Amino acid sequence: MPSIPHCLLSLALGFLGLLGIILLCATTRDMEQPPPHKYGIVIDAGSSRTTLYVYKWPAGKENDTGIVSEQITCNVRGPGISSYAANLSGAGKSLKDCLNKAVKAIPSDRHAETPLYLGATAGMRLLSQTDPKATKGVLDSIATTLRSYRFDYQGARILTGNEEGVLGWVTANYLQENFVKCGLFGRWINPVKNTVGAMDLGGASTQISFVPTDKEIEDPEKEVSLRLYGQDYKVYTHSYLCYGIDQVKKKVLAKITSGSGYVSEITNPCMPRGYSTNHTQEFIFGSWCTENERAQDYSPKQTITFRGSSDFETCYRIVSSIFSFSPCNYTSCSFNNVYQPEVTGDFLAFAAFYYTVDFLKVRLKRNITSPNELREASSFICKMSFSELKEKAPNVSETRLVNYCTASAYIHILTTDGYKFNNQTFKNIAFQKKVGGSTIGWALGYMLNLTNAIPAENPATWKVQMLGAWAVLIVICILVIAAGALLFALSYHSGKNDSVL
């Protein structure tokens, strides 16, 4: 029969073991429940449309940068904010529907600390060139609306081209998990991968950004240094104002119209046979990008009728004429005497790059894996009549449908003669809209950069609590081992005394 000391020791061991299990379970539960999330709102005010994004990330950050994910996306109704130059109050009002959705998506107790930021891109950069007063009025209207919400208003301003480009690069690499990824047991790790380049094509500008193999970037204005997730990066980036898809269309129309004496009807080789449309001279030459093409007898209200002829070769020559490929005052250039190092590595091409190439691949069933295949696809679509195009894509709007010829020819020239992709490097371009459910663009990159400036929420306290719990558990384990050793010693001596008797 066990002795009383043995019974008491067994009870003590059982108690200590149960306490250890309870503490271990509680500690494990604490590990699986990180601090509450924080939220941020970024409004991307592009030249042709505005989009609101709500992001969230853990309050405890990883290497000074939050693990940010896209929660909701809301497309603002109507055109880009630059179109409100004559209706300033309408700029702010246009954002309210999407802002109200953000109010519902974010917990109310987080509203006051949720940063709210609007960044305007090339559309507003163009407006600032022609009408600074209207530009200020649009931004003031937006600021008034944003301040009326309980969010932490951070400002509404126009991004520089380099900011837009490099933040798009940050987004592309973050979504590819080149900076950080989730490893074993939910820990975030830095995979130390090579980065991908980013190519963005909007309505008023286009950007290219990548980490070059060259040790030195010849033009310091095109170098941006970043630190994300404990790593340093030097990124080449450049934005080409007036080379977004909408402005390219106007530049092409200006080339076609120039020298015609502003006749009332002109053949447009980039439009399909059987289609015609009217444009005023103001629509064509009213942009800062085309005003230098105006003739002396410029008449803003005069209407010109353009009739399509489906002439690919002529269209291609006209689109090429909006570029200047010489001279180059650096060791290497893209176009318009802009320095660019040799493209290297993989690239993500998004926005209008994606929409145009996706149309060629899906609607026309064309492979796009080389420059030649892209040119052949462009030739194929440019030679089609309007009725043939409608048969291929009956659900696509006419305005968008008739511009695919210009867009595809432009993308071919831009990527090959402009950015200097060849048969080998072109294969490294992936034309994508999203990665893992998140949109590729500058907005997410901005939120990632912004989280560097937001302090983590009580991360030290959380870690101390965790360490304290584990310390107690270690002490209990030591006590259990010591008690076990004591029990063994008592049993040994008890057995020895029994044998003597």
Side-chain angles (χ1 to χ4, degrees):
M1 180 175 180
S3 65
I4 292 177
H6 285 180
C7 291
L8 292 176
L9 188 57
S10 298
L11 288 173
L13 287 173
F15 174 76
L16 290 174
L18 180 61
L19 182 61
I21 292 171
I22 292 172
L23 182 58
L24 180 60
C25 291
T27 303
T28 303
R29 184 177 66 251
D30 289 341
M31 288 182 66
E32 293 174 350
Q33 294 179 351
H37 283 90
K38 288 192 173 185
Y39 298 82
I41 304 169
V42 179
I43 302 175
D44 177 358
S47 61
S48 57
R49 68 176 183 179
T50 301
T51 306
L52 179 146
Y53 299 95
V54 174
Y55 298 105
K56 66 178 181 179
W57 63 92
K61 301 185 297 178
E62 181 71 17
N63 289 334
D64 295 327
T65 311
I67 308 300
V68 180
S69 61
E70 183 179 311
Q71 186 178 26
I72 68 167
T73 302
C74 181
N75 293 320
V76 174
R77 293 182 182 179
I81 62 172
S82 59
S83 65
Y84 290 94
N87 175 26
L88 299 180
S89 63
K93 292 178 181 178
S94 68
L95 307 176
K96 288 189 173 182
D97 286 346
C98 285
L99 285 167
N100 291 336
K101 290 183 179 180
V103 168
K104 295 178 180 178
I106 299 172
S108 58
D109 62 344
R110 291 284 175 177
H111 285 185
E113 63 187 49
T114 296
L116 170 60
Y117 176 89
L118 181 140
T121 54
M124 288 294 286
R125 292 200 289 270
L126 286 178
L127 183 63
S128 68
Q129 296 287 343
T130 57
D131 196 340
K133 184 178 179 180
T135 301
K136 183 180 182 301
V138 169
L139 293 177
D140 288 346
S141 170
I142 287 170
T144 299
T145 297
L146 298 185
R147 285 195 179 101
S148 69
Y149 287 78
R150 290 184 56 245
F151 300 119
D152 182 16
Y153 173 66
Q154 295 288 309
R157 70 178 183 88
I158 301 173
L159 296 179
T160 67
N162 280 2
E163 286 176 324
E164 185 179 3
V166 78
L167 291 175
W169 175 88
V170 170
T171 297
N173 282 281
Y174 179 84
L175 295 178
Q176 292 284 90
E177 295 188 336
N178 292 334
F179 298 140
V180 66
K181 66 184 297 183
C182 186
L184 293 175
F185 309 114
R187 286 189 57 81
W188 294 96
I189 60 174
N190 189 310
V192 193
K193 288 184 176 180
N194 292 328
T195 58
V196 299
M199 295 193 299
D200 187 2
L201 178 55
S205 67
T206 185
Q207 289 76 231
I208 182 170
S209 308
F210 61 98
V211 175
T213 55
D214 298 345
K215 293 183 179 180
E216 297 290 337
I217 294 179
E218 291 182 32
D219 187 350
E221 293 183 357
K222 294 172 177 54
E223 179 181 297
V224 177
S225 296
L226 296 173
R227 183 171 181 81
L228 291 168
Y229 300 97
Q231 299 293 320
D232 295 315
Y233 302 92
K234 287 188 177 180
V235 184
Y236 165 87
T237 187
H238 186 70
S239 176
Y240 297 85
L241 189 60
C242 298
Y243 283 85
I245 204 67
D246 293 337
Q247 294 301 319
V248 165
K249 174 185 173 181
K250 292 184 178 184
K251 290 166 80 73
V252 168
L253 291 176
K255 291 290 185 182
I256 293 170
T257 307
S258 297
S260 66
Y262 293 143
V263 297
S264 59
E265 186 172 311
I266 300 175
T267 298
N268 185 346
C270 298
M271 286 191 343
R273 295 185 308 276
Y275 180 82
S276 63
T277 188
N278 298 323
H279 292 300
T280 63
Q281 289 188 28
E282 184 177 23
F283 173 82
I284 301 170
F285 298 101
S287 169
W288 181 78
C289 300
T290 55
E291 62 183 8
N292 290 336
E293 300 282 345
R294 294 176 187 172
Q296 290 183 351
D297 56 346
Y298 169 65
S299 178
K301 302 302 180 183
Q302 182 182 345
T303 299
I304 302 174
T305 299
F306 292 88
R307 298 190 181 279
S309 62
S310 301
D311 185 348
F312 170 71
E313 296 299 335
T314 303
C315 175
Y316 195 86
R317 285 196 300 271
I318 293 172
V319 176
S320 294
S321 69
I322 71 174
F323 297 86
S324 175
F325 297 111
S326 63
C328 175
N329 296 329
Y330 302 91
T331 56
S332 59
C333 293
S334 52
F335 59 95
N336 295 356
N337 197 25
V338 172
Y339 163 73
Q340 179 191 293
E342 181 181 355
V343 291
T344 181
D346 295 329
F347 278 78
L348 283 183
F350 44 94
F353 280 116
Y354 163 78
Y355 291 115
T356 302
V357 172
D358 183 69
F359 178 86
L360 299 176
K361 292 166 62 176
V362 176
R363 299 287 185 169
L364 305 184
K365 296 180 173 57
R366 311 288 295 193
N367 291 324
I368 310 294
T369 59
S370 69
N372 287 339
E373 288 179 343
L374 177 56
R375 182 185 171 101
E376 289 172 1
S378 178
S379 174
F380 182 78
I381 194 174
C382 286
K383 292 178 179 179
M384 296 175 71
S385 67
F386 182 60
S387 60
E388 290 171 333
L389 277 174
K390 288 291 291 181
E391 185 177 346
K392 290 285 186 180
N395 299 323
V396 178
S397 67
E398 290 185 3
T399 303
R400 183 177 300 175
L401 192 61
V402 299
N403 286 328
Y404 277 122
C405 171
T406 302
S408 60
Y410 170 65
I411 289 175
H412 179 267
I413 298 166
L414 176 63
T415 54
T416 55
D417 296 334
Y419 294 155
K420 307 297 189 294
F421 285 92
N422 55 34
N423 288 331
Q424 294 301 316
T425 56
F426 189 91
K427 296 177 182 178
N428 299 331
I429 304 175
F431 296 91
Q432 292 182 223
K433 176 183 179 182
K434 292 186 174 185
V435 174
S438 293
T439 306
I440 310 173
W442 70 264
L444 176 55
Y446 173 79
M447 185 52 63
L448 291 170
N449 188 54
L450 180 63
T451 57
N452 273 325
I454 299 176
E457 185 171 290
N458 299 325
T461 302
W462 185 61
K463 290 178 181 178
V464 168
Q465 290 172 347
M466 291 296 301
L467 290 173
W470 279 108
V472 173
L473 183 59
I474 291 171
V475 170
I476 290 175
C477 290
I478 293 173
L479 292 175
V480 169
I481 293 171
L486 179 60
L487 178 61
F488 175 79
L490 289 173
S491 298
Y492 175 78
H493 286 292
S494 176
K496 188 174 182 181
N497 292 335
D498 289 343
S499 63
V500 170
L501 293 174

